[in-house]
Amino acid sequence: MISVEQLTAPVAEHGEGPVWCDRWPGLRWVDMLAGDVLELDSGTGEVRRFPVGTVAAALRPRAETGVVLALERGFALADDEFERITPLPELWSDPGIRMNDGGCDPQGRFHCGSMAYAETPGAGALYRLNLDGSVDVELTDVTISNGLAWSPDGTTAYYADTPTHRVDAFDYSPESGLSHRRTAIRVPAEHGSPDGLTVDAEGAVWVALWGGSAVHRYSPDGNLLDIVHLPVSQVTACTFGGPTRTDLYITTSRQGIDPATQPAAGALFRASPGVTGRPTLPYRGAI
């Protein structure tokens, strides 16, 4: 049994996208629909809140200094303290579509996927912010774009379109990007729906399960290896962090949850699963 501790009060309405960067005071994650980045100071336990827009979908550190963000309808750049936020051109005008989740590839490009607020099937897409600031569309016909992480050797990417109840794998190369999509993991409906995910140093895939009260660890060929149980149902994302990357941080949501039934929903949790994560891949763009 992997033990879990609750690190914060239920500070997020919809916590998502945890990220660890050694130059930050501690873990950062988003309260997505509040438009805020949250930060847990590892030394003091204080939670700081940085407003960045109407939606704070995802963030990653830049290679040297600063942050790249996915906002409601596109990308933005910011300094490490979010005192200066520079939005890049919006990618669409439809107010019913927003960014949702993403991550950086081994070459330092930032990928993030979209979805309809109404969860309309096929209304979303997966976008890639290139190093020169240009943007490419990588996938279309996406419903709820979630999770994007790479294998330790950088040749495989893992991705979830949540309603499919699958985590898909892609071959990846710097030249051709994502190709040869296939099913890597099937999540039975009774276990919840795949949300955010991360990959550990051994190549296993950790998947947060929305509606499943858990994070599952899978082998690359889809075998269930371990389970982290949570006291809340809407588990949204996970990442490794801490000085030795042996802490698994887990975000949760309290959207639509009666706090009397799940008082910890919206809190940040931490587990010590006995394996090591990999360093966060930064955005290496020169813009």
Side-chain angles (χ1 to χ4, degrees), residues 4-37:
V4 174
E5 61 178 320
Q6 181 179 335
L7 293 181
T8 72
V11 293
E13 179 71 17
H14 185 59
E16 270 277 14
V19 184
W20 181 272
C21 178
D22 289 339
R23 70 171 182 260
W24 296 342
L27 186 85
R28 286 177 171 173
W29 71 109
V30 298
D31 191 354
M32 186 178 289
L33 301 181
D36 294 340
V37 173

Side-chain angles (χ1 to χ4, degrees), residues 27-121:
L27 186 85
R28 286 177 171 173
W29 71 109
V30 298
D31 191 354
M32 186 178 289
L33 301 181
D36 294 340
V37 173
L38 304 181
E39 176 185 86
L40 176 66
D41 189 302
S42 298
T44 67
E46 175 189 4
V47 176
R48 301 171 66 195
R49 186 176 287 266
F50 303 95
V52 298
T54 55
V55 169
L59 78 155
R60 287 296 185 273
R62 301 190 71 178
E64 301 298 331
T65 184
V67 176
V68 63
L69 297 159
L71 302 180
E72 185 175 35
R73 299 179 206 167
F75 298 104
L77 304 175
D79 63 293
D80 273 322
E81 293 298 317
F82 303 100
E83 294 174 348
R84 297 179 305 280
I85 299 171
T86 305
L88 302 179
E90 290 191 347
L91 301 177
W92 62 85
S93 59
D94 185 345
I97 306 293
R98 65 170 175 83
M99 284 292 201
N100 195 57
D101 193 14
C104 288
D105 64 31
Q107 280 61 52
R109 300 171 293 190
F110 184 40
H111 309 241
C112 196
S114 64
M115 61 173 286
Y117 282 99
E119 301 182 7
T120 307

Side-chain angles (χ1 to χ4, degrees), residues 9 22 27 29 35 45 72 87 102 112 138 148-149 194 197 203 208 211 229 240 245 262 272:
D22 289 339
L27 186 85
W29 71 109
E72 185 175 35
C112 196
E138 295 184 284
L148 190 61
L197 57 85
H229 294 282
F240 283 90
R245 297 189 298 277
Q262 296 185 34
S272 299

